[in-house]
Amino acid sequence: MIIAASAPLTVVAGGVTTSFAVTESLGVPLGFLLIAVILAVFAVGYTAMSRYITNAGAFYAYIAQGIGRPLGVGASLVALVAYNAMQIGIYGLFGFQLSIFLETKFGFASPWWVWILLCIVVVGVLGVNRVDLSAKVLGVLVALEFLVVIVFDIVALGHAPEGVTAAALNPAALFGPALGIILVFGVAAFMGFEGAAIYGEEAKDPKRTVPRATYAAVAIIGVFYAFSAWAFSVGIGPSQVVEQSQTFGPDLMFVFMTDQVGVIFSDIMTLLFLTSLFAALQAFHNAVARYFFSLGREGVLPTWFSRTSRSGAPWAGSVAQTVIAVVVVAGFALTGDAFGAAESMFGDMAFLYPVLTMFTWLTNTGAAALVLLMAVIAVAVICFFRRNNRGLSVWTTVIAPVVSGLALLWVFIMILSNFQLMLDQDEPNATTFILPGMIFVAAIVGIIWALVLRARKPEIYRQIGHGTEPGAYGTEMVDVVEQ
């Protein structure tokens, strides 16, 4: 689930080229490694906390028990905004890519939103079934993603027009003026890595497997992205990779493979690019469903959200996420197509409407929100273990959270200060401020709602973040997945 959410092929094809193009720096490969180190240090306290708190609303429960219930509820709404934004934003890229592929190969022109609606149905069906069904489907898709990127890496290193050079691995390329921008664009590639804790209630041994999955995912993703980004620079040539990335964008990988291997393999890569997006869609959908479940179980949201299927899947939360996706996609479709807004906003680039709006706006907003949540989690870890360190070291309970928390806060500030650049805007407009503003509005609304619950329903307020503990309000434990 973690690696599916990070979408390896999508990151290598789109994220790497975007980073090279925007930063105009060869430090992108080392940037992935630096982010992996920051997140690995963050995971020290995060996974330590996961051994004592098992809750489908991971961030929500950790912050509620670590810092306080009001901030925990605020964090839960920020998490819902983040995961919904990431998931629905990816739909925009999926619909566009599939529509363009069908038109290019078969001459079949179709609206981008049609394929999104069909995909929403498939994602929703998998979402209401037991989690291991989703895991098996995504496992196959992720394995194919890794395979095709490895083939690309081998071809790139074999082509090497300027030789197999370590120019992109020179620390001077990273630790320069572009460092902040490299981290801003690179951190989105890791979003979803924190998701192991969300599945703790459905795992057979969460105290062991959640930390293992988190560390493994950070290591695998970080090394794989760094190596592939370096191979990208070698395959195109260090002196040309920035210029070519600016010229072709995400298509550069497919153009390169068409020239080197042939159009058939490039088409296979395109199809796997689509399945990569689908895998990420499913992973984020599952995360949203489990947050709804956790909040419904504890009475923060209507208890209807706590309903699960016989297999333990949070079907009510899954249905809710599906409805949200349909409504938001319909809004973008009507705005972009029916009323001609795409033409007026983007001129000759109108066909890119779902990518330039839905995908770009929402995924960047979601990534910013998740980075902020992780910075707050670092504080929650310190507060949680300050009351009882449970025999853990100072490195685990204080030093690692402080170091990673400050680093993540700095990355969040860099994201906000460069949000216009991330949205590819020549000049700031309303979206430059409204989109990140949604994060703070969600937090404020959540805090206020928690205070209302404290005054009006103290029995529910007492259980906020404690929904899996014996005797907790509305507790209905999810059946353990046996297979």
Side-chain angles (χ1 to χ4, degrees), residues 10 44 93 112 114 116 118 137 158 184 199 255 258 260 267 278 285 298 328 331 349 368 408 418:
T10 301
V44 171
L93 182 57
W112 54 269
V114 169
I116 295 178
L118 291 175
V137 172
V184 163
Y199 301 96
V255 171
T258 299
Q260 300 300 318
D267 288 345
F278 174 82
H285 171 90
E298 298 181 16
V328 175
M349 300 295 286
L408 288 165
N418 290 281

Side-chain angles (χ1 to χ4, degrees), residues 12 18 89 120 137 190 202-203 235 246 249 273 304-305 357 439 443 482:
V12 175
T18 300
I120 288 175
V137 172
F190 290 80
E202 296 160 277
Q246 293 172 335
F273 180 68
W304 177 83
F305 287 105
T357 58
I439 301 171
E482 296 296 338

Side-chain angles (χ1 to χ4, degrees), residues 94-186:
F94 176 87
F96 169 79
Q97 286 293 135
L98 183 51
S99 177
I100 291 297
F101 178 76
L102 293 174
E103 185 172 1
T104 302
K105 292 299 174 182
F106 306 106
F108 177 64
S110 56
W112 54 269
W113 50 265
V114 169
W115 304 110
I116 295 178
L117 294 178
L118 291 175
C119 186
I120 288 175
V121 172
V122 177
V123 169
V125 169
L126 288 174
V128 298
N129 284 281
R130 47 192 292 163
V131 70
D132 59 334
L133 176 60
S134 295
K136 290 173 183 176
V137 172
L138 300 193
V140 173
L141 298 180
V142 169
L144 292 173
E145 284 185 65
F146 270 90
L147 179 61
V148 75
V149 175
I150 289 170
V151 171
F152 166 77
D153 292 343
I154 293 172
V155 172
L157 293 175
H159 179 61
E162 299 175 24
V164 180
T165 170
L169 301 179
N170 185 348
L174 173 64
F175 294 101
L179 173 61
I181 304 299
I182 291 173
L183 297 185
V184 163
F185 278 87

Side-chain angles (χ1 to χ4, degrees), residues 36-63:
V37 170
I38 293 172
L39 296 182
V41 174
F42 165 80
V44 171
Y46 180 67
T47 57
M49 207 168 179
S50 74
R51 297 186 179 98
Y52 302 97
I53 302 174
T54 301
N55 193 304
F59 282 165
Y60 152 70
Y62 293 2
I63 293 174

Side-chain angles (χ1 to χ4, degrees), residues 28-363:
V28 174
L30 290 181
F32 284 121
L33 289 181
L34 180 57
I35 295 169
V37 170
I38 293 172
L39 296 182
V41 174
F42 165 80
V44 171
Y46 180 67
T47 57
M49 207 168 179
S50 74
R51 297 186 179 98
Y52 302 97
I53 302 174
T54 301
N55 193 304
F59 282 165
Y60 152 70
Y62 293 2
I63 293 174
Q65 293 199 36
I67 302 177
R69 291 171 175 83
L71 198 58
V73 177
S76 73
L77 296 193
V78 173
L80 283 175
V81 168
Y83 287 122
N84 271 298
M86 293 292 289
Q87 203 256 8
I88 300 171
I90 293 171
Y91 271 127
L93 182 57
F94 176 87
F96 169 79
Q97 286 293 135
L98 183 51
S99 177
I100 291 297
F101 178 76
L102 293 174
E103 185 172 1
T104 302
K105 292 299 174 182
F106 306 106
F108 177 64
S110 56
W112 54 269
W113 50 265
V114 169
W115 304 110
I116 295 178
L117 294 178
L118 291 175
C119 186
I120 288 175
V121 172
V122 177
V123 169
V125 169
L126 288 174
V128 298
N129 284 281
R130 47 192 292 163
V131 70
D132 59 334
L133 176 60
S134 295
K136 290 173 183 176
V137 172
L138 300 193
V140 173
L141 298 180
V142 169
L144 292 173
E145 284 185 65
F146 270 90
L147 179 61
V148 75
V149 175
I150 289 170
V151 171
F152 166 77
D153 292 343
I154 293 172
V155 172
L157 293 175
H159 179 61
E162 299 175 24
V164 180
T165 170
L169 301 179
N170 185 348
L174 173 64
F175 294 101
L179 173 61
I181 304 299
I182 291 173
L183 297 185
V184 163
F185 278 87
V187 74
F190 290 80
M191 292 302 95
F193 100 97
E194 76 294 335
I198 294 174
Y199 301 96
E201 294 182 49
E202 296 160 277
K204 287 188 288 187
D205 187 5
K207 297 184 187 305
R208 179 176 59 89
T209 56
V210 167
R212 178 187 295 178
T214 302
Y215 281 119
V218 172
I220 293 170
I221 292 171
V223 173
F224 187 72
Y225 289 166
F227 181 83
S228 296
W230 170 68
F232 218 129
S233 72
V234 172
I236 304 300
S239 66
Q240 294 295 315
V241 68
V242 170
E243 180 184 345
Q244 293 295 305
S245 295
Q246 293 172 335
T247 301
F248 293 100
D251 285 337
L252 179 58
M253 184 178 187
F254 304 101
V255 171
F256 174 82
M257 291 302 284
T258 299
D259 292 339
Q260 300 300 318
V261 182
V263 69
I264 294 179
F265 189 84
S266 180
D267 288 345
I268 293 174
M269 288 182 63
T270 301
L271 291 174
L272 290 175
F273 180 68
L274 289 167
T275 62
S276 171
L277 294 172
F278 174 82
L281 288 167
Q282 190 67 56
F284 284 118
H285 171 90
N286 289 348
V288 173
R290 281 151 183 79
Y291 261 90
F292 274 128
F293 163 77
S294 179
L295 295 171
R297 174 178 56 192
E298 298 181 16
V300 177
L301 292 180
T303 55
W304 177 83
F305 287 105
S306 66
R307 296 182 180 180
T308 61
S309 64
R310 291 183 179 179
S311 64
W315 71 263
S318 179
V319 170
Q321 202 286 320
T322 298
V323 171
I324 292 172
V326 169
V327 171
V328 175
V329 170
F332 275 96
L334 290 173
T335 303
D337 292 341
F339 301 129
E343 286 73 10
S344 62
M345 291 173 65
F346 302 109
D348 294 337
M349 300 295 286
F351 75 101
L352 281 171
Y353 175 75
V355 176
L356 297 176
T357 58
M358 197 167 155
F359 174 72
T360 303
W361 293 357
L362 297 184
T363 55

Side-chain angles (χ1 to χ4, degrees), residues 395-409:
W395 161 252
T396 299
T397 60
V398 179
I399 299 175
V402 167
V403 172
S404 61
L406 290 175
L408 288 165
L409 181 60

